[in-house]
């Protein structure tokens, strides 16, 4: 007796239908004329002809990231509609740290058993976030892998490609003593630290629609609040910035040093953690240093820039509805070979 692919738990017909329906949905969305192929081919083609005359020395910038175990909590609570924004944000927020603007995005979705409702909700969320970030969804991969994933579990990852002017790329080579550091607020946990958060959810027996004890909505709305998209805020700022640090896994102490040259120290003025992070710190029994090494603690981005432009960035963020403040300075003086230091004052 033959054993079909469907018998083994994989349904390519269902996958083709879901992606076909999503392809039809995309026809109603704004289309980037530079994308020469839509959803379906083995690979997507994108024309650079209209872009190259905008740059003297164009550089392609790439990155890859996922949403981690936030996907597990979202699936358990059937609240996955913000995960597409999380996925896009985790990638394009990294990409702009190089001083690039996003061009293309591709997603990777893997599950044990395809759910049309689940995949459609995720894809529409991804598309919406791409539109918000002026980025084109060029394709992706849908994988049904029974035996590797169980129940409604799935994994979600993404890949972004951008372009930047070589002379305006951001990074340690531009950072110098006397620079200011501006903190740009996060919307919450973003997409990091959820292995610990899920333990607290079980320990405290949190229900998704129960109100938080600090009066900021339900646990679902607070813990699964989508990651902030910072692309529009920093559009046009690459020539005025020296570096951007996206505070993701590893928090302040791991991510800020990635954009600092040797021989400097970053002095960060302590800020009051938002109520959610205060609650996590209390329930998990973590020291402040441990919090700052695990979570963003209320700051999604740190911008390093000349001191005379710091106030302008703060004002731009506030006009965009995002809290921002001058959070510290860069100080030189150590030996050039000495590793950068981050001080929380």
């Amino acid at each position: 007796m033959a054993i079909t692919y469907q018998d083994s738990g994989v349904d390519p017909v269902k996958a083709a239908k879901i992606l076909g329906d999503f392809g039809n949905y995309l026809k109603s969305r704004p289309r980037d004329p530079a994308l020469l192929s839509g959803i379906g081919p083995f690979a997507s083609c994108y024309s650079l002809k209209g872009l190259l005359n905008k740059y003297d020395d164009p550089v392609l910038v790439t990155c890859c990231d996922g949403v981690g175990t936030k996907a597990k909590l979202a699936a358990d609570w059937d609240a996955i509609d913000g995960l597409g924004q999380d996925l896009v944000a985790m990638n394009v927020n990294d990409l702009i740290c190089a001083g690039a603007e996003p061009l293309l995005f591709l997603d990777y979705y893997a599950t044990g058993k395809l759910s049309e409702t689940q995949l459609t909700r995720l894809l529409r969320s991804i598309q919406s976030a791409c539109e918000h970030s002026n980025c084109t969804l060029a394709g992706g991969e849908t994988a049904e892998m029974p035996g590797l994933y169980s129940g409604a579990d799935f994994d979600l990852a993404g890949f972004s490609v951008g372009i930047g002017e070589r002379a305006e790329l951001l990074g340690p080579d531009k950072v110098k003593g006397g620079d200011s550091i501006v903190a740009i607020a996060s919307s919450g946990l973003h997409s990091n630290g959820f292995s610990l958060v899920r333990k607290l959810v079980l320990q405290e027996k949190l229900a998704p629609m129960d109100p938080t004890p600090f009066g900021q909505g339900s646990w679902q709305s607070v813990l699964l609040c989508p990651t902030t998209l910072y692309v529009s805020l920093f559009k046009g700022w690459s020539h005025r910035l020296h570096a951007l640090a996206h505070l993701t896994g590893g928090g302040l102490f791991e991510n800020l040093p990635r954009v600092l040259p040797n021989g400097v120290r970053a002095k960060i003025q302590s800020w009051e953690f938002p109520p959610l992070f205060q609650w996590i710190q209390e329930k998990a029994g973590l020291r402040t240093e441990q919090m700052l090494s695990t979570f963003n603690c209320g700051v999604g981005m740190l911008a390093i820039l000349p001191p005379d432009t710091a106030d302008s960035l703060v004002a731009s963020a506030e006009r965009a509805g995002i809290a921002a403040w001058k959070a510290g300075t860069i100080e030189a003086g150590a030996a050039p070979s000495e590793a950068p230091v981050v001080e929380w004052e």
Side-chain angles (χ1 to χ4, degrees):
M1 179 179 176
I3 301 176
T4 67
Y5 212 8
Q6 286 87 344
D7 292 334
S8 65
V10 179
D11 192 342
V13 175
K14 179 189 284 188
K17 179 184 182 303
I18 296 170
L19 296 177
D21 289 345
F22 182 66
N24 290 330
Y25 165 75
L26 288 180
K27 293 177 183 178
S28 68
R29 307 307 306 157
R31 189 177 188 280
D32 184 348
L35 184 67
L36 306 182
S37 52
I39 303 297
F42 290 103
S44 297
C45 299
Y46 191 87
S47 173
L48 295 175
K49 183 177 180 180
L51 280 171
L52 294 182
N53 60 7
K54 293 174 54 179
Y55 298 89
D56 294 324
D57 189 0
V59 175
L60 287 179
V61 180
T62 63
C63 58
C64 171
D65 209 339
V67 299
T69 53
K70 184 173 186 176
K72 174 61 175 171
L73 182 61
D76 289 346
W77 284 358
D78 190 27
I80 64 172
D81 296 278
L83 289 183
Q85 179 170 326
D86 287 313
L87 180 63
V88 174
M90 293 301 291
N91 281 274
V92 297
N93 289 347
D94 276 354
L95 191 145
I96 62 175
C97 288
E101 60 175 303
L103 290 179
L104 303 172
F105 187 82
L106 297 98
D107 67 272
Y108 173 82
Y109 164 83
T111 187
K113 185 174 180 58
L114 275 177
S115 162
E116 180 172 359
T117 301
Q118 184 185 79
L119 180 54
T120 299
R121 289 163 69 186
L122 291 171
L123 290 174
R124 290 199 177 205
S125 178
I126 291 169
Q127 172 63 21
S128 176
C130 283
E131 291 177 16
H132 188 280
S133 302
N134 196 29
C135 184
T136 297
L137 179 59
E141 168 68 2
T142 299
E144 191 172 21
M145 297 188 284
L148 188 58
Y149 298 92
S150 61
D153 290 346
F154 62 90
D155 194 16
L156 199 58
F159 313 84
S160 186
V161 178
I163 191 168
E165 184 68 70
R166 185 169 184 172
E168 295 182 2
L169 295 181
L170 307 179
D173 59 309
K174 291 190 173 179
V175 175
K176 56 185 124 179
D179 281 349
S180 290
I181 304 173
V182 170
I184 311 293
S186 67
S187 56
L189 290 165
H190 284 185
S191 298
N192 299 103
F194 273 86
S195 293
L196 188 155
V197 168
R198 287 177 53 243
K199 285 184 176 295
L200 290 181
V201 167
L202 295 174
Q203 173 185 298
E204 302 298 316
K205 298 180 173 58
L206 305 183
M209 301 315 296
D210 284 350
T212 64
F214 39 86
Q216 292 190 343
S218 67
W219 283 114
Q220 177 177 303
S221 66
V222 170
L223 295 182
L224 298 180
C225 182
T227 305
T228 303
L229 293 158
Y230 294 107
V231 174
S232 59
L233 171 61
F234 287 105
K235 185 174 179 59
W237 270 85
S238 60
H239 66 291
R240 304 170 70 183
L241 298 172
H242 289 165
L244 280 176
H246 185 199
L247 300 196
T248 56
L252 173 68
F253 291 125
E254 181 177 314
N255 289 290
L256 184 54
R258 296 166 67 180
V259 300
L260 299 178
N262 286 349
V264 305
R265 62 184 63 239
K267 292 200 168 184
I268 305 294
Q269 299 165 6
S270 61
W271 65 82
E272 183 179 2
F273 294 171
L276 170 61
F277 296 97
Q278 294 181 31
W279 180 88
I280 290 172
Q281 183 171 14
E282 177 190 348
K283 295 300 181 181
L286 298 178
R287 301 188 310 275
T288 295
E289 183 177 348
Q290 292 174 309
M291 287 292 295
L292 291 167
S293 298
T294 307
F295 301 100
N296 67 58
C297 296
V299 173
M301 281 277 191
L302 287 171
I304 302 175
L305 68 176
D308 59 353
T309 59
D311 287 333
S312 180
L313 178 58
V314 170
S316 292
E318 290 177 346
R319 285 195 296 271
I322 304 173
W325 63 94
K326 289 191 283 188
T329 56
I330 301 294
E331 292 188 359
S337 60
E338 188 174 313
V341 176
V342 175
E343 294 183 356
W344 170 263
E345 299 181 315

